[in-house]
Amino acid sequence: MGSLETERTTVGWAARDPSGILSPYNYTLRNTGPQDVHIKVLYCGICHTDIHQIRNDLGMSNYPMVPGHEVVGEVTEVGSEVGNFAVGDVVGIGVLVGCCRNCRPCNLDIEQYCNKKIWSYNDVYTDGKPTQGGFAQSMVVDQKFVVKIPDGLAPEQAAPLLCAGVTVYSPLTHFGLKQSGLRGGILGLGGVGHMGVKIAKAMGHHVTVISSSDKKREEALEHLGADEYLVSSDATRMQEAADSLDYIIDTVPVFHPLEPYLSLLKLDGKLILMGVINTPLQFVTPMVMLGRKTITGSFIGSMKETKEMLEFCKEKGLTSMIEVIKMDYINTAFERLAKNDVRYRFVVDVAGSKLDQ
């Protein structure tokens, strides 16, 4: 996987403990192996999962940790066996950087469900060294987990698509929900939710945004193009909307009851869970049984789906709504994200930041 004798150093911003405060951190990268691509990071999106990881919310964090898994960069070097990429290509890296390549999910090209998958950070690579993410000057990544950013997609706009975009695209594809004319619900209007609205609308769906308050109504209807807006505490409107949706994409990353949303689903409707939550959810079984409804989940998407999704977004002219920041603002950005104070994704201008201050 590359010669350990010729490692090179890079600098990223790392959390050292569950306070989640990031600061400059120097570490080594492996040399570019035959299947590897060396990338200069240009931009990296901030995902809510990054908060869980840097603050050890899931009890599995290892420090020092350089987060960031919505990475867009420029190829600066390729290994001898790399045929898909060339120096100067603008490429993306998402949540994973490795898999076993032999199990059933890997053989089905859905490597995100491999039990031996390797996360882009807070994991251990095949060389025994910790993986570090995209809030850094550079990365070395196996070409299997690198995708080209299509011409015409701005790199800063493409970054959130590598997680938020494909996270929505994958279940709509897998569960047969791409055809036009469906009625869908998007629960929670954050980074993933806003891409859910855009992608579902581009597929020709009637889209209802479901939120806990009225404060995002104008954004949802006028800026994102949603068709309807439901406030979950409005019992009258929720009752009127019962049995009206083919699916709901549930992006809420904190504990919440499921019954109010199950009631919105039609016969055979699907509630697709996407929020990472470290406490058990609950529901009463008749809510599912009496409508033959499904509660299921979906995790990011495959590399194949990521490529499809990027081409879909290019074809439909879809972009993410972002706030571009420099690295020295990142701790403030995490505080704001924890309070849902961003429309709708922070993207760090890594190449334009002074990282070693």
Side-chain angles (χ1 to χ4, degrees):
M1 302 307 301
S3 170
L4 297 180
E5 287 75 31
T6 52
E7 291 172 331
R8 50 193 141 187
T9 61
T10 192
V11 59
W13 275 48
R16 265 72 169 195
D17 55 54
S19 71
I21 301 299
L22 271 58
S23 59
Y25 170 60
N26 291 282
Y27 57 101
T28 57
L29 294 174
R30 69 179 186 274
N31 191 36
T32 308
Q35 295 281 337
D36 288 334
V37 179
H38 186 278
I39 294 150
K40 173 188 175 184
V41 178
L42 301 176
Y43 295 94
C44 188
I46 302 179
C47 175
H48 205 281
T49 304
D50 295 326
I51 295 179
H52 289 307
Q53 294 282 16
I54 63 176
R55 296 182 179 177
N56 198 27
D57 289 344
L58 305 177
M60 298 182 293
S61 296
N62 299 289
Y63 303 98
M65 180 200 303
V66 178
H69 60 248
E70 298 179 340
V71 188
V72 173
E74 179 182 344
V75 175
T76 55
E77 184 182 359
V78 296
S80 59
E81 297 175 11
V82 173
N84 299 326
F85 305 99
V87 172
D89 284 349
V90 177
V91 298
I93 301 102
V95 177
L96 302 181
V97 294
C99 63
C100 80
R101 303 177 190 244
N102 295 313
C103 66
R104 182 167 177 263
C106 286
N107 289 331
L108 291 172
D109 289 329
I110 47 173
E111 61 284 334
Q112 72 271 32
Y113 298 111
C114 171
N115 287 330
K116 296 182 180 178
K117 58 183 167 285
I118 301 175
W119 307 90
S120 53
Y121 69 88
N122 194 35
D123 207 345
V124 178
Y125 200 63
T126 54
D127 59 5
K129 299 184 66 175
T131 59
Q132 303 290 7
F135 298 146
Q137 287 176 337
S138 54
M139 298 177 72
V140 176
V141 183
D142 187 298
Q143 67 169 341
K144 176 178 174 60
F145 295 91
V146 180
V147 293
K148 283 185 180 177
I149 303 300
D151 293 340
L153 272 183
E156 67 274 21
Q157 292 284 352
L161 301 179
L162 299 165
C163 175
V166 74
T167 293
V168 172
Y169 183 87
S170 177
L172 291 176
T173 301
H174 172 73
F175 292 116
L177 299 170
K178 287 180 70 175
Q179 69 267 33
S180 63
L182 295 179
R183 298 179 69 91
I186 305 296
L187 177 56
L189 197 59
V192 175
H194 99 284
M195 285 310 307
V197 175
K198 289 192 165 206
I199 288 174
K201 284 297 296 180
M203 290 178 176
H205 298 180
H206 179 284
V207 177
T208 298
V209 169
I210 311 160
S211 185
S212 60
S213 76
D214 213 38
K215 66 180 183 180
K216 295 183 180 178
R217 180 182 295 273
E218 182 179 347
E219 287 269 2
L221 299 176
E222 297 187 18
H223 300 289
L224 296 177
D227 299 286
E228 293 187 45
Y229 190 94
L230 267 179
V231 178
S232 56
S233 59
D234 186 337
T236 301
R237 288 284 291 114
M238 290 287 284
Q239 178 60 39
E240 291 171 352
D243 302 313
S244 67
L245 301 179
D246 294 292
Y247 67 86
I248 295 173
I249 291 177
D250 182 348
T251 73
V252 176
V254 294
F255 176 83
H256 56 288
L258 298 185
E259 279 96 341
Y261 312 109
L262 289 168
S263 69
L264 299 176
L265 293 172
K266 297 178 181 177
L267 174 68
D268 291 327
K270 293 177 174 61
L271 177 65
I272 305 168
L273 300 175
M274 293 185 176
V276 176
I277 304 169
N278 61 359
T279 53
L281 299 180
Q282 59 190 36
F283 60 95
V284 293
T285 56
M287 295 295 298
V288 174
M289 296 162 55
L290 297 178
R292 202 166 60 190
K293 299 171 185 180
T294 301
I295 299 174
T296 187
S298 181
F299 175 61
I300 53 169
S302 66
M303 299 311 298
K304 180 174 180 287
E305 288 170 327
T306 302
K307 294 171 187 174
E308 290 177 5
M309 176 274 306
L310 289 171
E311 289 296 337
F312 178 83
C313 288
K314 176 188 175 182
E315 175 191 340
K316 299 294 186 179
L318 301 184
T319 58
S320 46
M321 291 180 67
I322 61 174
E323 181 177 333
V324 179
I325 63 169
K326 294 291 197 281
M327 191 68 79
D328 59 7
Y329 189 77
I330 196 165
N331 290 310
T332 302
F334 273 119
E335 291 175 7
R336 287 179 53 194
L337 178 58
K339 296 183 286 190
N340 201 24
D341 178 24
V342 58
R343 300 292 185 273
Y344 282 93
R345 207 61 151 187
F346 284 116
V347 174
V348 182
D349 177 4
V350 179
S353 299
K354 183 174 174 56
L355 299 188
D356 55 357
Q357 52 189 312

